[in-house]
Amino acid sequence: VQIVTVCDRESDFYDFLELAQTIGAPALVRAHNDRIINKSSCLAEEGHDRLWGYMQSLPIQGSIKVEIPARSQNPARTATLEIRLGPFKINPPRHSIRYKTEILPVINLHAVYVAEKNPPQDEDPLEWMLLSNLPVTNFAEAIEKVRWYCLRWRIEMYHKVLKSGFRIESCRLESADRLIRYLTIMSII
C-alpha cells in the first residue's frame, strides 16, 4: 500500500514540496504558479523556462476521457484531455526567510499537463498542471496521476458532508480526544 497526498492549488508552494521530498512522502499537487523552472542556479537570470510554456512545448503523449460532474449551471459531461508529461526542477525561492539561514535544496519533480482542446460551447476548457515527486516517465503513469487527482473530488464531497451536513465545525468538545471520537462517529454515519 502506498499513501499519496493529493492536493489542490493551495499546496503549490516550495515549503510543502520540499517537506514531501525530505520525508519521502509521495505527493501530487495541482499547480497554481507558472513558476520559473530549470534554472542552472538560484541566481541565474537566463537559461530557464516557465512551467506552462515548458510543458506546452513537450509532445502530446495521448489522450484520456474524464467524467466531469455537474456544477452550478453546468451539466455533467465527458472531457477529452490531451496529456503531456516531463521532468523539471525548481530552485528555492529567494524571498524565503529560510533562504538567508539555510541551504535549501533544488527539488526535482515531474509534471503531467492535461488540457481539453474542444470543450462544449460556453464552457471553459479543462486544464490541469499536476506536479508530483513520484516518477512520471510514461503515458500509463501519467494517466494514474490524473485518475488520482479526479478522486480528490470525492474527498471534497466527504468534507462538505461533514462540514455542512453534520456541522462538525460548530461542535464544542474542548479537547482533541473528544473531537477525534466525534469525527469517527460522524464519518461512519
Side-chain angles (χ1 to χ4, degrees):
V1 174
Q2 181 180 37
I3 297 173
V4 179
T5 302
V6 179
C7 305
D8 208 9
R9 294 175 281 193
E10 294 83 12
S11 296
D12 181 20
F13 58 97
Y14 176 85
D15 290 339
F16 175 79
L17 297 168
E18 181 211 3
L19 178 62
Q21 175 179 283
T22 301
I23 66 173
L28 179 73
V29 176
R30 182 173 170 193
H32 176 70
N33 301 307
D34 189 16
R35 61 174 45 91
I36 293 174
I37 61 169
N38 297 331
K39 289 176 78 171
S40 57
S41 76
C42 292
L43 302 175
E45 296 297 327
E46 296 178 1
H48 57 268
D49 300 304
R50 288 235 171 236
L51 180 59
W52 259 260
Y54 169 72
M55 291 304 294
Q56 290 169 345
S57 74
L58 297 177
I60 296 168
Q61 299 294 312
S63 63
I64 182 175
K65 292 185 184 289
V66 173
E67 298 300 320
I68 308 300
R71 288 181 282 151
S72 306
Q73 305 291 338
N74 300 335
R77 66 187 180 94
T78 301
T80 302
L81 308 172
E82 295 178 342
I83 296 181
R84 301 169 197 262
L85 57 109
F88 69 97
K89 63 181 180 178
I90 59 172
N91 292 80
R94 287 191 278 179
H95 65 274
S96 171
I97 195 162
R98 294 174 51 216
Y99 188 80
K100 295 178 181 173
T101 59
E102 300 174 46
I103 297 174
L104 301 174
V106 169
I107 300 174
N108 293 304
L109 296 170
H110 292 265
V112 177
Y113 176 64
V114 295
E116 184 177 25
K117 290 300 173 196
N118 299 308
Q121 193 173 24
D122 300 327
E123 290 265 355
D124 291 329
L126 196 66
E127 179 184 50
W128 299 332
M129 181 74 70
L130 305 175
L131 314 178
S132 184
N133 58 1
L134 294 169
V136 184
T137 58
N138 59 51
F139 185 64
E141 290 173 344
I143 287 177
E144 176 184 56
K145 305 318 180 261
V146 172
R147 295 205 188 283
W148 288 352
Y149 186 72
C150 289
L151 291 174
R152 193 188 69 75
W153 293 108
R154 291 184 186 172
I155 297 165
E156 291 294 329
M157 291 305 298
Y158 170 73
H159 289 147
K160 181 180 179 181
V161 168
L162 287 175
K163 290 178 179 180
S164 300
F166 290 111
R167 300 170 32 117
I168 62 168
E169 292 177 317
S170 61
C171 76
R172 299 176 187 200
L173 296 176
E174 297 181 9
S175 74
D177 288 340
R178 289 178 181 175
L179 183 59
I180 289 169
R181 280 185 239 138
Y182 179 71
L183 285 171
T184 301
I185 300 263
M186 292 302 111
S187 296
I188 292 168
I189 293 172

